[in-house]
Amino acid sequence: MTRAFPADFLFGAATAAYQIEGAAHDDGRTDSIWDTFSRIPGAVVNAENGDVACDHYHRYAGDVAVMKELGLQTYRFSTSWSRVRPDNGPVNPQGIDFYSRLVDELLGAGIKPWLTLYHWDLPQALEEKGGWANRDTAELFRDYALSVHDALGDRVGVWTTLNEPWCSAFVGYTAGVHAPGRQSKTDGLAAGHHLLLGHGLAVQALRERDPGLELGITLNLTVAKPVDPARPGDVDAARRIDGQLNRFFLDPIFRGSYPADLLDDVAHLGFTDLVRDGDLAQISQPLDSFGVNYYNGSLVSDRPTESAQLSHDPTNRATSSPFPAADGVFNHPQGLPVTAMDWEVQPDGLRELLVRVGAEYTGPAGTDLYVTENGAAYDDIVASDGSVHDADRTRFLQLHLDAVLDAIDEGVDVKGYFYWSLMDNYEWAWGYQKRFGIVRVDYDTQERTIKDSGRAYAAIVAARSLTTAAEPALAK
Ligand code: FCB
Protein backbone atom coordinates (compact mmCIF):
# COMPACT_ATOMS: atom_id res chain seq x y z
CA MET A 1 0.00 0.00 0.00
CA THR A 2 1.27 3.49 -0.87
CA ARG A 3 0.26 6.60 1.06
CA ALA A 4 1.34 10.11 0.07
CA PHE A 5 2.50 12.85 2.44
CA PRO A 6 1.07 16.36 2.12
CA ALA A 7 2.91 18.53 -0.43
CA ASP A 8 4.36 20.86 2.22
CA PHE A 9 5.36 18.11 4.70
CA LEU A 10 9.00 18.51 5.82
CA PHE A 11 11.33 15.55 6.25
CA GLY A 12 14.41 15.90 8.39
CA ALA A 13 16.70 14.37 10.96
CA ALA A 14 17.85 15.62 14.36
CA THR A 15 20.97 15.73 16.50
CA ALA A 16 22.17 17.68 19.55
CA ALA A 17 25.41 19.55 20.23
CA TYR A 18 26.87 17.55 23.11
CA GLN A 19 25.93 14.24 21.51
CA ILE A 20 27.85 14.79 18.26
CA GLU A 21 30.24 17.74 18.26
CA GLY A 22 33.21 16.61 20.34
CA ALA A 23 35.90 19.32 20.42
CA ALA A 24 34.85 19.75 24.02
CA HIS A 25 37.82 21.90 24.93
CA ASP A 26 38.58 23.47 21.54
CA ASP A 27 38.41 27.13 20.58
CA GLY A 28 37.39 28.39 23.99
CA ARG A 29 34.56 26.00 24.89
CA THR A 30 34.32 25.29 28.62
CA ASP A 31 32.47 22.64 30.61
CA SER A 32 28.74 22.11 30.47
CA ILE A 33 26.90 20.06 33.08
CA TRP A 34 27.33 17.02 30.83
CA ASP A 35 31.13 17.33 30.82
CA THR A 36 31.07 17.43 34.62
CA PHE A 37 28.39 14.77 35.08
CA SER A 38 30.17 12.30 32.82
CA ARG A 39 33.12 12.38 35.24
CA ILE A 40 31.02 11.17 38.19
CA PRO A 41 32.02 7.55 38.83
CA GLY A 42 29.23 5.24 37.71
CA ALA A 43 27.08 7.96 36.14
CA VAL A 44 27.63 6.96 32.50
CA VAL A 45 28.12 3.52 31.00
CA ASN A 46 31.88 2.91 30.64
CA ALA A 47 32.49 6.46 31.96
CA GLU A 48 32.11 7.69 28.37
CA ASN A 49 31.89 11.41 27.59
CA GLY A 50 31.40 13.83 24.69
CA ASP A 51 35.05 14.91 24.38
CA VAL A 52 35.28 13.51 20.85
CA ALA A 53 31.82 12.08 20.12
CA CYS A 54 31.28 12.11 16.32
CA ASP A 55 33.88 14.87 15.87
CA HIS A 56 31.16 16.76 14.03
CA TYR A 57 32.86 20.03 14.99
CA HIS A 58 35.58 19.19 12.47
CA ARG A 59 33.53 17.02 10.12
CA TYR A 60 30.36 19.07 9.76
CA ALA A 61 30.84 19.63 6.02
CA GLY A 62 31.00 15.89 5.36
CA ASP A 63 27.96 15.38 7.57
CA VAL A 64 25.98 17.97 5.62
CA ALA A 65 27.01 16.16 2.43
CA VAL A 66 25.52 12.96 3.91
CA MET A 67 22.27 14.82 4.69
CA LYS A 68 22.18 16.02 1.12
CA GLU A 69 22.73 12.50 -0.17
CA LEU A 70 19.78 11.38 1.96
CA GLY A 71 17.66 14.16 0.46
CA LEU A 72 16.79 15.69 3.84
CA GLN A 73 14.85 18.93 3.57
CA THR A 74 15.67 20.15 7.06
CA TYR A 75 18.19 19.48 9.82
CA ARG A 76 17.47 20.01 13.50
CA PHE A 77 20.62 20.70 15.53
CA SER A 78 21.37 22.49 18.77
CA THR A 79 23.84 25.17 19.74
CA SER A 80 26.05 24.71 22.78
CA TRP A 81 25.73 27.53 25.33
CA SER A 82 29.24 26.63 26.61
CA ARG A 83 30.70 27.07 23.13
CA VAL A 84 28.85 30.28 22.29
CA ARG A 85 29.30 31.89 25.71
CA PRO A 86 31.81 29.83 27.73
CA ASP A 87 30.95 29.93 31.45
CA ASN A 88 28.11 32.23 30.34
CA GLY A 89 30.70 34.95 29.84
CA PRO A 90 31.03 37.11 26.73
CA VAL A 91 30.35 35.71 23.27
CA ASN A 92 33.20 33.53 22.02
CA PRO A 93 33.75 34.48 18.36
CA GLN A 94 35.33 31.12 17.46
CA GLY A 95 32.47 29.23 19.09
CA ILE A 96 29.68 31.07 17.34
CA ASP A 97 31.61 30.96 14.08
CA PHE A 98 31.30 27.16 14.05
CA TYR A 99 27.51 27.46 13.90
CA SER A 100 27.74 30.19 11.31
CA ARG A 101 29.80 27.90 9.05
CA LEU A 102 27.41 25.01 9.70
CA VAL A 103 24.41 27.15 8.74
CA ASP A 104 26.13 28.33 5.57
CA GLU A 105 26.96 24.76 4.66
CA LEU A 106 23.32 23.72 5.17
CA LEU A 107 21.97 26.60 3.14
CA GLY A 108 24.47 25.84 0.40
CA ALA A 109 23.14 22.26 0.30
CA GLY A 110 19.54 23.48 0.17
CA ILE A 111 18.77 22.17 3.67
CA LYS A 112 16.68 24.29 6.03
CA PRO A 113 18.43 24.88 9.37
CA TRP A 114 16.19 24.21 12.39
CA LEU A 115 18.00 25.54 15.45
CA THR A 116 17.43 24.44 19.05
CA LEU A 117 18.99 26.75 21.62
CA TYR A 118 19.11 24.33 24.52
CA HIS A 119 19.44 20.57 24.39
CA TRP A 120 20.41 19.88 28.03
CA ASP A 121 23.93 21.34 28.18
CA LEU A 122 23.89 24.17 30.74
CA PRO A 123 27.28 25.81 31.37
CA GLN A 124 28.71 24.21 34.50
CA ALA A 125 29.49 27.70 35.81
CA LEU A 126 25.74 28.35 35.98
CA GLU A 127 25.06 25.01 37.66
CA GLU A 128 27.46 26.15 40.36
CA LYS A 129 25.16 29.13 40.93
CA GLY A 130 22.15 26.84 41.33
CA GLY A 131 21.50 25.79 37.75
CA TRP A 132 17.90 25.72 36.57
CA ALA A 133 16.73 25.63 40.18
CA ASN A 134 17.92 29.25 40.33
CA ARG A 135 15.40 31.66 38.78
CA ASP A 136 18.18 33.88 37.39
CA THR A 137 19.05 31.15 34.87
CA ALA A 138 15.82 31.91 32.98
CA GLU A 139 16.95 35.47 32.23
CA LEU A 140 20.46 34.35 31.37
CA PHE A 141 18.95 31.89 28.89
CA ARG A 142 17.10 34.75 27.20
CA ASP A 143 20.37 36.69 26.92
CA TYR A 144 22.17 33.67 25.46
CA ALA A 145 19.34 33.22 22.93
CA LEU A 146 19.81 36.81 21.80
CA SER A 147 23.57 36.25 21.44
CA VAL A 148 22.93 33.34 19.09
CA HIS A 149 20.37 35.39 17.21
CA ASP A 150 22.87 38.26 16.79
CA ALA A 151 25.08 35.94 14.76
CA LEU A 152 22.61 33.65 12.99
CA GLY A 153 19.31 35.54 12.88
CA ASP A 154 19.95 36.66 9.31
CA ARG A 155 20.09 33.06 8.06
CA VAL A 156 18.12 30.85 10.45
CA GLY A 157 14.34 31.12 10.35
CA VAL A 158 13.21 28.38 12.72
CA TRP A 159 14.11 28.66 16.41
CA THR A 160 13.25 26.14 19.11
CA THR A 161 13.95 27.36 22.62
CA LEU A 162 14.20 24.14 24.62
CA ASN A 163 14.41 20.45 23.88
CA GLU A 164 12.43 18.32 26.33
CA PRO A 165 12.40 20.49 29.45
CA TRP A 166 10.84 17.55 31.32
CA CYS A 167 14.11 15.67 30.96
CA SER A 168 16.22 18.72 31.86
CA ALA A 169 14.17 19.32 35.00
CA PHE A 170 13.03 15.95 36.25
CA VAL A 171 15.53 13.46 34.84
CA GLY A 172 18.36 15.88 35.67
CA TYR A 173 17.29 17.37 39.02
CA THR A 174 14.86 14.79 40.48
CA ALA A 175 15.83 11.35 39.14
CA GLY A 176 19.54 12.13 38.92
CA VAL A 177 19.91 9.95 35.83
CA HIS A 178 21.00 12.90 33.69
CA ALA A 179 23.21 15.91 34.40
CA PRO A 180 23.48 17.57 36.82
CA GLY A 181 22.54 14.40 38.69
CA ARG A 182 20.63 15.91 41.61
CA GLN A 183 17.91 13.88 43.31
CA SER A 184 15.52 16.47 44.69
CA LYS A 185 11.79 16.77 44.06
CA THR A 186 11.76 20.47 44.88
CA ASP A 187 14.77 21.24 42.68
CA GLY A 188 13.13 19.40 39.78
CA LEU A 189 9.94 21.42 40.18
CA ALA A 190 11.89 24.67 40.41
CA ALA A 191 13.92 23.73 37.35
CA GLY A 192 10.74 22.92 35.42
CA HIS A 193 9.19 26.29 36.20
CA HIS A 194 12.37 28.22 35.43
CA LEU A 195 12.86 26.39 32.15
CA LEU A 196 9.33 27.39 31.16
CA LEU A 197 10.05 30.95 32.21
CA GLY A 198 13.30 31.00 30.23
CA HIS A 199 11.35 29.74 27.20
CA GLY A 200 8.79 32.53 27.54
CA LEU A 201 11.43 35.21 28.02
CA ALA A 202 13.41 34.01 24.99
CA VAL A 203 10.32 33.83 22.77
CA GLN A 204 9.28 37.35 23.71
CA ALA A 205 12.77 38.77 23.14
CA LEU A 206 13.28 37.00 19.81
CA ARG A 207 9.81 38.04 18.65
CA GLU A 208 10.58 41.66 19.48
CA ARG A 209 13.77 41.43 17.44
CA ASP A 210 12.15 39.84 14.41
CA PRO A 211 8.45 39.13 14.06
CA GLY A 212 9.21 36.98 11.02
CA LEU A 213 10.97 34.22 12.98
CA GLU A 214 9.25 30.87 13.41
CA LEU A 215 9.45 30.30 17.16
CA GLY A 216 8.62 27.19 19.14
CA ILE A 217 9.52 24.58 21.73
CA THR A 218 9.92 20.79 21.72
CA LEU A 219 8.43 18.58 24.45
CA ASN A 220 8.77 14.86 24.99
CA LEU A 221 5.28 13.57 25.60
CA THR A 222 3.82 10.24 26.53
CA VAL A 223 0.47 8.54 26.23
CA ALA A 224 -0.29 7.42 29.78
CA LYS A 225 -2.93 4.71 30.05
CA PRO A 226 -4.39 2.85 33.02
CA VAL A 227 -3.82 -0.91 33.06
CA ASP A 228 -7.49 -1.33 33.96
CA PRO A 229 -9.65 1.64 32.96
CA ALA A 230 -12.30 0.43 35.40
CA ARG A 231 -9.99 0.65 38.46
CA PRO A 232 -9.86 4.12 40.04
CA GLY A 233 -6.31 3.49 41.32
CA ASP A 234 -5.08 2.80 37.79
CA VAL A 235 -6.94 5.78 36.34
CA ASP A 236 -5.39 8.02 38.99
CA ALA A 237 -1.92 6.64 38.25
CA ALA A 238 -2.36 7.53 34.55
CA ARG A 239 -3.64 10.99 35.48
CA ARG A 240 -0.55 11.65 37.61
CA ILE A 241 1.88 10.63 34.89
CA ASP A 242 -0.01 12.65 32.29
CA GLY A 243 -0.03 15.65 34.65
CA GLN A 244 3.60 15.50 35.72
CA LEU A 245 5.06 14.72 32.30
CA ASN A 246 2.72 16.18 29.66
CA ARG A 247 0.44 18.81 31.18
CA PHE A 248 3.11 20.31 33.48
CA PHE A 249 4.52 21.86 30.28
CA LEU A 250 1.62 21.89 27.81
CA ASP A 251 -0.81 23.80 29.99
CA PRO A 252 1.39 26.76 30.99
CA ILE A 253 2.62 27.11 27.39
CA PHE A 254 -0.75 26.91 25.66
CA ARG A 255 -3.19 27.90 28.40
CA GLY A 256 -1.21 30.11 30.73
CA SER A 257 -1.96 27.99 33.80
CA TYR A 258 -0.73 24.92 35.63
CA PRO A 259 -3.37 22.15 35.80
CA ALA A 260 -5.31 22.21 39.09
CA ASP A 261 -4.86 18.47 39.73
CA LEU A 262 -1.09 18.79 39.24
CA LEU A 263 -0.97 21.69 41.68
CA ASP A 264 -2.83 19.52 44.22
CA ASP A 265 -0.40 16.64 43.68
CA VAL A 266 2.67 18.80 44.32
CA ALA A 267 1.14 21.22 46.88
CA HIS A 268 3.10 19.61 49.74
CA LEU A 269 6.35 20.45 47.91
CA GLY A 270 5.73 24.20 48.00
CA PHE A 271 5.58 24.50 44.23
CA THR A 272 3.26 27.49 44.03
CA ASP A 273 5.65 29.60 46.13
CA LEU A 274 7.96 29.61 43.11
CA VAL A 275 5.39 30.95 40.70
CA ARG A 276 5.32 34.75 40.76
CA ASP A 277 2.66 37.08 39.42
CA GLY A 278 3.10 37.49 35.69
CA ASP A 279 5.12 34.30 35.18
CA LEU A 280 2.34 32.40 33.47
CA ALA A 281 1.58 35.29 31.11
CA GLN A 282 5.29 35.38 30.28
CA ILE A 283 5.39 31.64 29.63
CA SER A 284 2.29 31.48 27.42
CA GLN A 285 3.66 33.46 24.46
CA PRO A 286 2.00 32.59 21.14
CA LEU A 287 4.08 30.02 19.23
CA ASP A 288 4.48 29.39 15.52
CA SER A 289 5.61 25.79 15.79
CA PHE A 290 5.47 23.05 18.37
CA GLY A 291 7.53 19.87 18.36
CA VAL A 292 6.53 16.53 19.84
CA ASN A 293 9.24 14.00 20.62
CA TYR A 294 7.73 10.55 20.88
CA TYR A 295 9.41 7.27 21.71
CA ASN A 296 6.69 5.28 23.47
CA GLY A 297 3.78 5.43 25.86
CA SER A 298 3.24 4.17 29.38
CA LEU A 299 0.76 1.70 30.82
CA VAL A 300 0.46 2.35 34.54
CA SER A 301 -1.18 1.12 37.71
CA ASP A 302 -1.04 1.66 41.46
CA ARG A 303 -0.17 -2.03 41.71
CA PRO A 304 3.21 -3.48 40.82
CA THR A 305 3.43 -5.58 37.71
CA GLU A 306 3.61 -9.33 38.04
CA SER A 307 5.65 -9.72 34.87
CA ALA A 308 9.35 -8.92 34.70
CA GLN A 309 10.07 -5.17 34.78
CA LEU A 310 11.96 -3.61 31.90
CA SER A 311 15.10 -1.96 33.19
CA HIS A 312 15.57 1.69 32.33
CA ASP A 313 18.65 2.40 34.42
CA PRO A 314 21.83 3.00 32.46
CA THR A 315 24.16 1.93 35.28
CA ASN A 316 23.76 0.55 38.78
CA ARG A 317 24.29 3.96 40.39
CA ALA A 318 21.40 4.72 42.77
CA THR A 319 18.80 7.03 41.21
CA SER A 320 15.26 8.19 42.02
CA SER A 321 11.93 8.39 40.23
CA PRO A 322 11.65 11.44 37.96
CA PHE A 323 8.09 12.04 39.17
CA PRO A 324 7.82 14.34 42.20
CA ALA A 325 4.38 13.05 43.22
CA ALA A 326 3.82 9.60 41.77
CA ASP A 327 5.08 7.34 44.53
CA GLY A 328 3.25 4.05 44.19
CA VAL A 329 2.74 4.34 40.43
CA PHE A 330 4.09 1.35 38.51
CA ASN A 331 4.82 0.88 34.83
CA HIS A 332 3.52 -2.31 33.28
CA PRO A 333 5.24 -3.75 30.23
CA GLN A 334 2.78 -4.79 27.52
CA GLY A 335 4.82 -7.61 26.04
CA LEU A 336 5.45 -5.64 22.86
CA PRO A 337 8.67 -5.77 20.83
CA VAL A 338 11.37 -3.62 22.43
CA THR A 339 14.30 -1.62 21.08
CA ALA A 340 17.85 -1.86 22.43
CA MET A 341 16.80 0.71 25.06
CA ASP A 342 14.15 -1.77 26.25
CA TRP A 343 11.57 0.74 25.09
CA GLU A 344 8.40 -0.91 23.79
CA VAL A 345 7.50 -0.15 20.20
CA GLN A 346 4.06 1.50 20.19
CA PRO A 347 3.51 3.35 16.91
CA ASP A 348 -0.20 3.87 17.43
CA GLY A 349 0.67 5.93 20.51
CA LEU A 350 2.17 8.51 18.16
CA ARG A 351 -1.11 8.78 16.25
CA GLU A 352 -3.04 9.09 19.48
CA LEU A 353 -0.67 11.72 20.85
CA LEU A 354 -0.75 13.85 17.70
CA VAL A 355 -4.55 13.71 17.61
CA ARG A 356 -4.73 14.82 21.23
CA VAL A 357 -2.13 17.58 21.00
CA GLY A 358 -3.71 18.83 17.77
CA ALA A 359 -7.22 18.88 19.21
CA GLU A 360 -6.45 20.22 22.68
CA TYR A 361 -3.41 22.46 22.24
CA THR A 362 -1.84 23.31 18.88
CA GLY A 363 -5.06 23.33 16.82
CA PRO A 364 -6.91 25.89 18.98
CA ALA A 365 -3.72 27.99 19.23
CA GLY A 366 -3.09 27.95 15.46
CA THR A 367 0.41 26.54 16.07
CA ASP A 368 2.07 24.25 13.52
CA LEU A 369 2.68 20.73 14.81
CA TYR A 370 5.81 18.71 14.04
CA VAL A 371 7.30 15.44 15.21
CA THR A 372 10.77 16.72 16.12
CA GLU A 373 12.12 13.36 17.30
CA ASN A 374 11.23 9.71 16.87
CA GLY A 375 13.60 6.83 16.39
CA ALA A 376 15.08 3.65 17.75
CA ALA A 377 18.32 2.14 19.01
CA TYR A 378 19.14 -1.36 17.84
CA ASP A 379 22.28 -3.41 18.21
CA ASP A 380 23.48 -3.03 14.65
CA ILE A 381 25.62 -5.66 13.01
CA VAL A 382 28.18 -4.53 10.45
CA ALA A 383 28.35 -6.92 7.50
CA SER A 384 31.71 -7.96 6.09
CA ASP A 385 31.37 -5.36 3.33
CA GLY A 386 30.74 -2.65 5.93
CA SER A 387 27.01 -2.30 5.31
CA VAL A 388 24.37 -2.31 8.05
CA HIS A 389 21.16 -4.23 7.32
CA ASP A 390 19.09 -2.72 10.13
CA ALA A 391 15.69 -4.07 9.14
CA ASP A 392 14.20 -3.46 12.61
CA ARG A 393 15.01 0.26 12.45
CA THR A 394 13.54 0.52 8.94
CA ARG A 395 10.39 -1.16 10.17
CA PHE A 396 10.24 1.15 13.19
CA LEU A 397 10.53 4.17 10.91
CA GLN A 398 7.83 2.91 8.54
CA LEU A 399 5.43 2.09 11.38
CA HIS A 400 5.80 5.55 12.90
CA LEU A 401 5.51 7.40 9.59
CA ASP A 402 2.37 5.34 9.00
CA ALA A 403 1.08 6.54 12.37
CA VAL A 404 1.80 10.16 11.36
CA LEU A 405 -0.22 9.59 8.18
CA ASP A 406 -3.04 8.09 10.27
CA ALA A 407 -3.09 11.24 12.39
CA ILE A 408 -3.16 13.40 9.26
CA ASP A 409 -6.08 11.30 7.97
CA GLU A 410 -7.85 12.03 11.23
CA GLY A 411 -7.55 15.73 10.49
CA VAL A 412 -4.40 16.75 12.38
CA ASP A 413 -2.23 19.05 10.31
CA VAL A 414 1.16 17.48 11.07
CA LYS A 415 3.74 19.56 9.21
CA GLY A 416 6.86 17.41 9.36
CA TYR A 417 8.91 14.61 10.87
CA PHE A 418 12.51 14.43 12.09
CA TYR A 419 14.11 11.06 12.60
CA TRP A 420 16.29 10.73 15.73
CA SER A 421 19.04 10.58 14.91
CA LEU A 422 20.93 11.46 11.77
CA MET A 423 23.89 9.45 13.06
CA ASP A 424 24.89 7.25 15.96
CA ASN A 425 26.00 9.44 18.84
CA TYR A 426 26.52 9.87 22.58
CA GLU A 427 23.30 8.60 24.12
CA TRP A 428 23.77 10.48 27.40
CA ALA A 429 24.13 8.18 30.42
CA TRP A 430 24.03 5.19 28.05
CA GLY A 431 27.18 6.43 26.32
CA TYR A 432 28.06 5.13 22.86
CA GLN A 433 26.49 1.71 23.36
CA LYS A 434 23.08 2.70 22.03
CA ARG A 435 22.96 3.48 18.34
CA PHE A 436 19.97 5.47 17.03
CA GLY A 437 21.46 6.64 13.73
CA ILE A 438 20.32 6.04 10.18
CA VAL A 439 24.01 6.67 9.54
CA ARG A 440 26.56 4.50 11.32
CA VAL A 441 29.53 6.12 13.01
CA ASP A 442 32.67 4.04 13.48
CA TYR A 443 34.09 5.70 16.60
CA ASP A 444 37.62 4.41 15.89
CA THR A 445 37.89 5.91 12.42
CA GLN A 446 34.97 8.42 12.44
CA GLU A 447 33.84 6.85 9.19
CA ARG A 448 30.17 7.39 8.32
CA THR A 449 28.12 4.66 6.60
CA ILE A 450 24.52 5.12 5.54
CA LYS A 451 22.57 2.19 6.98
CA ASP A 452 19.79 0.39 5.10
CA SER A 453 17.32 2.43 7.20
CA GLY A 454 18.94 5.61 5.88
CA ARG A 455 18.49 4.40 2.31
CA ALA A 456 14.88 3.49 3.09
CA TYR A 457 14.24 6.94 4.58
CA ALA A 458 15.87 8.60 1.56
CA ALA A 459 13.53 6.64 -0.73
CA ILE A 460 10.49 7.75 1.28
CA VAL A 461 11.65 11.38 1.20
CA ALA A 462 12.30 11.21 -2.54
CA ALA A 463 8.93 9.62 -3.30
CA ARG A 464 7.15 11.77 -0.67
CA SER A 465 5.12 8.65 0.06
CA LEU A 466 5.29 5.56 2.20
CA THR A 467 4.97 2.15 0.66
CA THR A 468 4.50 -0.60 3.19
CA ALA A 469 5.08 -4.10 1.94
CA ALA A 470 4.71 -7.27 3.96
CA GLU A 471 7.71 -6.63 6.21
CA PRO A 472 8.88 -9.13 8.79
CA ALA A 473 7.48 -8.23 12.18
CA LEU A 474 9.80 -6.73 14.77
CA ALA A 475 11.45 -9.33 16.96
CA LYS A 476 10.25 -9.45 20.57
C1 FCB B 1 15.50 12.19 23.55
C2 FCB B 1 16.60 13.21 23.47
C3 FCB B 1 17.68 12.88 22.49
C4 FCB B 1 18.00 11.41 22.48
C5 FCB B 1 16.75 10.60 22.31
C6 FCB B 1 16.97 9.12 22.22
O1 FCB B 1 14.91 12.22 24.80
O2 FCB B 1 16.07 14.48 23.16
O3 FCB B 1 18.80 13.68 22.80
O4 FCB B 1 18.69 11.07 23.61
O5 FCB B 1 15.89 10.86 23.37
Side-chain angles (χ1 to χ4, degrees):
M1 184 174 150
T2 297
R3 304 174 77 184
F5 287 89
D8 59 352
F9 192 88
L10 274 183
F11 290 100
T15 64
Y18 191 72
Q19 294 180 276
I20 64 164
E21 286 177 3
H25 309 111
D26 287 23
D27 295 341
R29 184 186 177 282
T30 54
D31 279 355
S32 75
I33 53 176
W34 270 96
D35 298 88
T36 307
F37 181 74
S38 60
R39 292 182 206 122
I40 298 174
V44 179
V45 174
N46 297 334
E48 288 167 341
N49 59 45
D51 282 1
V52 178
C54 309
D55 195 31
H56 174 73
Y57 188 75
H58 299 111
R59 294 168 193 269
Y60 70 92
D63 291 334
V64 173
V66 172
M67 294 175 215
K68 189 170 177 175
E69 187 176 343
L70 292 170
L72 301 185
Q73 297 174 279
T74 178
Y75 171 55
R76 175 175 175 257
F77 64 97
S78 77
T79 50
S80 153
W81 191 337
S82 301
R83 201 182 286 293
V84 173
R85 296 186 54 174
D87 298 342
N88 193 49
V91 172
N92 167 26
Q94 285 175 293
I96 193 72
D97 190 59
F98 164 66
Y99 298 108
S100 187
R101 285 180 277 125
L102 171 64
V103 165
D104 285 344
E105 195 74 25
L106 289 166
L107 293 173
I111 298 167
K112 177 175 179 163
W114 183 297
L115 188 151
T116 298
L117 287 158
Y118 186 77
H119 198 126
W120 306 357
D121 45 358
L122 188 72
Q124 177 62 22
L126 292 183
E127 176 58 22
E128 276 150 31
K129 293 183 179 159
W132 284 109
N134 178 349
R135 189 180 166 97
D136 296 345
T137 303
E139 294 190 2
L140 300 176
F141 173 69
R142 184 237 356 250
D143 299 345
Y144 152 69
L146 291 175
S147 301
V148 181
H149 181 268
D150 285 339
L152 306 179
D154 58 336
R155 284 160 292 153
V156 176
V158 190
W159 295 69
T160 295
T161 54
L162 307 173
N163 175 72
E164 303 189 355
W166 180 79
C167 290
S168 298
F170 295 109
V171 184
Y173 287 82
T174 300
V177 174
H178 280 174
R182 289 195 224 171
Q183 295 183 42
S184 156
K185 292 175 177 177
T186 49
D187 287 355
L189 289 164
H193 182 64
H194 298 147
L195 280 151
L196 282 165
L197 189 59
H199 155 78
L201 288 164
V203 169
Q204 185 188 35
L206 290 169
R207 181 85 72 209
E208 278 169 16
R209 284 268 183 102
D210 182 353
L213 297 179
E214 208 177 311
L215 302 175
I217 189 169
T218 276
L219 303 182
N220 59 306
L221 299 174
T222 190
V223 179
K225 291 198 167 160
V227 169
D228 179 353
R231 280 193 77 248
D234 290 6
V235 172
D236 193 64
R239 177 195 64 73
R240 281 176 188 266
I241 300 305
D242 182 54
Q244 291 169 47
L245 202 157
N246 297 331
R247 291 180 289 117
F248 184 99
F249 295 94
L250 284 167
D251 281 36
I253 290 168
F254 286 101
R255 299 180 175 163
S257 58
Y258 282 107
D261 63 311
L262 167 84
L263 292 178
D264 283 351
D265 290 345
V266 299
H268 63 291
L269 298 168
F271 177 61
T272 43
D273 301 344
L274 294 163
V275 184
R276 299 194 189 158
D277 281 354
D279 283 3
L280 285 153
Q282 182 67 59
I283 292 166
S284 55
Q285 304 288 317
L287 298 182
D288 306 292
S289 61
F290 177 76
V292 168
N293 290 358
Y294 173 81
Y295 289 90
N296 61 10
S298 23
L299 186 70
V300 293
S301 169
D302 63 352
R303 293 176 301 182
T305 175
E306 280 162 19
S307 53
Q309 265 294 2
L310 295 169
S311 159
H312 293 296
D313 288 332
T315 67
N316 52 19
R317 182 172 146 266
T319 55
S320 303
S321 162
F323 297 103
D327 293 346
V329 173
F330 299 92
N331 267 305
H332 285 226
Q334 300 174 57
L336 297 167
V338 294
T339 69
M341 299 293 288
D342 264 352
W343 295 348
E344 290 187 306
V345 180
Q346 303 167 24
D348 193 56
L350 178 56
R351 177 201 58 79
E352 202 174 330
L353 185 60
L354 292 169
V355 168
R356 177 195 182 187
V357 171
E360 296 181 20
Y361 297 98
T362 54
T367 302
D368 287 343
L369 178 58
Y370 291 85
V371 177
T372 41
E373 279 181 34
N374 169 245
Y378 286 105
D379 296 329
D380 295 327
I381 295 166
V382 184
S384 52
D385 63 355
S387 55
V388 181
H389 305 304
D390 55 339
D392 279 347
R393 188 175 290 102
T394 302
R395 186 75 182 132
F396 182 99
L397 175 65
Q398 291 172 335
L399 288 167
H400 287 80
L401 284 172
D402 216 31
V404 170
L405 287 165
D406 288 343
I408 292 173
D409 282 354
E410 285 186 41
V412 192
D413 191 10
V414 187
K415 293 280 189 191
Y417 174 93
F418 294 78
Y419 180 79
W420 181 274
S421 176
L422 172 69
M423 55 187 158
D424 296 337
N425 58 46
Y426 181 69
E427 180 47 32
W428 309 111
W430 284 262
Y432 295 99
Q433 308 309 305
K434 304 296 180 196
R435 293 176 176 270
F436 279 85
I438 46 175
V439 175
R440 180 176 177 87
V441 176
D442 177 328
Y443 295 112
D444 294 329
T445 61
Q446 291 295 348
E447 194 187 341
R448 275 59 164 157
T449 306
I450 298 177
K451 303 179 192 177
D452 284 3
S453 58
R455 301 274 173 218
Y457 190 41
I460 293 166
V461 176
R464 302 197 57 80
S465 64
L466 179 69
T467 302
T468 40
E471 294 281 334
L474 288 162
K476 282 209 176 169

